[in-house]
Amino acid sequence: MSVSYWQAEGNQPVREVDFLVVGAGLVGCGAAYFAAQAGRQVVITEKADVALGASGRNAGFMITGLDSYYHRAIEKYGEAVAKEMWELSKHTIRFWRSVAAQTDEVSITTCGSLLLSESREEAADIEQAARALDAAGIDMLYHSRDPLGRGYFNAIENPDDGAVQPVQLAQAVLKTSGAELIANNELYHIEQTHPEQVTVYTRKVIFKANYVLLCTNAYSPQIDPYFIGKVIPTRGQVLVTEPMPEPPMKTLGYSDYGYMYYRSTFDNRLLLGGGRNRYFEQEHNTTEDFATDPVQRVLDAYLRQYFPDVTVPVARRWAGIMGFSVDGLPLAGTLPDKPRVGFAVGFTGHGLSLGAGTAERAVDHLLTGASLGAVDVRRLEAKILA
Ligand SMILES: Cc1cc2nc3c(=O)[nH]c(=O)nc-3n(C[C@H](O)[C@H](O)[C@H](O)COP(=O)(O)OP(=O)(O)OC[C@H]3O[C@@H](n4cnc5c(N)ncnc54)[C@H](O)[C@@H]3O)c2cc1C
């Protein structure tokens, strides 16, 4: 992003802060919580307002694990990393639940999930994933037939997964963190002006911060060129129907290698999302968060094929921008030329699974140099050098 001379030189007041988080999505609010727990005074600066990015536009699935099926995750990252990410997602979901348990303002449920297959080929993959989970000692239920009776082939059930109202969750995490939020305050530019101080130019304030943590996910390449090619902005689209007398589904469901997903809302609507794989060119490398006719037509057709019993009209359609990391794992670390500027980005459509745990590691790393484990961005450099 570029900012004009006139905007940048707007005589903003200078303010000293201890720990500045950029971005008030689920991850920024989570990071604010962990930094406050570490004894820091936390301020969040946000371009728009809390949960107006992907965090308030998602499907609200709290799914254990990565976007790849378990045996594929082992092939891609190795057994140790696949297990570590599984544990990180469990840790993250536990954190959201513990925040929600402190208030009655978050709709949240442990409804379980079904990973379903739409073809014989996918069914074979799901069977292999079930075997790999079993071999890793991870509890789940394998269904050799479609447990929903909707035309799927087989399924893996995880009874521990759950659903949430994500805007309420982000607001609750923000409140629990105790951090001050400065909304409508876009970051323009960051300079590491001193080894122990960062100057952050924003719309309303010039901050002098001891520490800065970027939680700007899909928008990170607009903030620092370091993220170009590492975080790919990717559009996700959903629709939600009018309410029905009964919930259309009891569990979360997802299929077509995660490209399609469906659940009941807390007021008995069907939420259906996905279809971006059919329009790859249009849905990748974009930060435009509007719903498009081609993808919405895919969702309409899916609704007719798999949910013919859902006859109520569609009430709303929307889109959001996710930050896909170049290798599918979250990215945490510090900017090479700005050691006091950390980041937790690249959740690849799984911020509710991996966001809080990654934010916690990023905060620890920035403050103490603690290990980041598998989310350490330096794994990409190692691959480039190899
Ligand atoms: C349609 C859809 C469905 C999804 N479904 C799921 C799901 O079911 N489960 C799941 O786990 N994940 C899902 N995701 C992904 C999930 O929403 C994200 O992984 C998660 O919200 C990432 O959180 P975040 O805080 O990192 O990003 P965001 O919520 O995008 O927050 C980034 C914030 O940074 C702010 N920002 C950007 N630039 C600046 C700047 N220059 N200055 C100040 N602030 C700035 C933005 O305004 C934004 O508020 C879905 C996403 C979409 C779009």
Side-chain angles (χ1 to χ4, degrees), residues 66-82:
L66 288 165
D67 68 331
S68 322
Y69 294 175
Y70 202 73
H71 64 300
R72 298 272 181 225
I74 291 175
E75 280 165 24
K76 200 165 167 191
Y77 310 113
E79 247 172 79
V81 171

Side-chain angles (χ1 to χ4, degrees), residues 120-138:
R120 294 207 182 283
E121 185 200 356
E122 193 182 7
D125 256 327
I126 286 194
E127 207 178 326
Q128 280 190 58
R131 280 204 210 101
L133 285 162
D134 193 40
I138 295 171

Side-chain angles (χ1 to χ4, degrees), residues 1-3 7 12 22-23 45-48 182-189 200-205 207 219 222-223:
M1 183 202 57
S2 68
V3 175
Q7 291 162 339
Q12 293 93 331
V22 184
T45 183
E46 161 58 51
K47 177 169 73 173
I182 307 181
N184 192 17
N185 195 39
E186 182 169 8
L187 175 148
Y188 289 162
H189 179 62
V200 180
Y201 296 85
T202 66
R203 200 169 78 76
K204 295 191 272 197
V205 185
F207 294 102
Y219 307 96
Q222 297 174 346
I223 289 176

Side-chain angles (χ1 to χ4, degrees), residues 25-27 46-47 54-55 58-61 187 217 320 322 349-352:
L26 283 159
V27 176
E46 161 58 51
K47 177 169 73 173
S55 295
N58 60 57
F61 282 44
L187 175 148
N217 207 27
M322 309 175 278
H350 282 62
L352 276 165

Side-chain angles (χ1 to χ4, degrees), residues 17 39 46 92 144 179 211 280 287 318 338 350 386:
V17 295
E46 161 58 51
T92 292
S144 56
Y211 298 95
F280 192 88
T287 50
W318 72 89
K338 300 181 184 82
H350 282 62

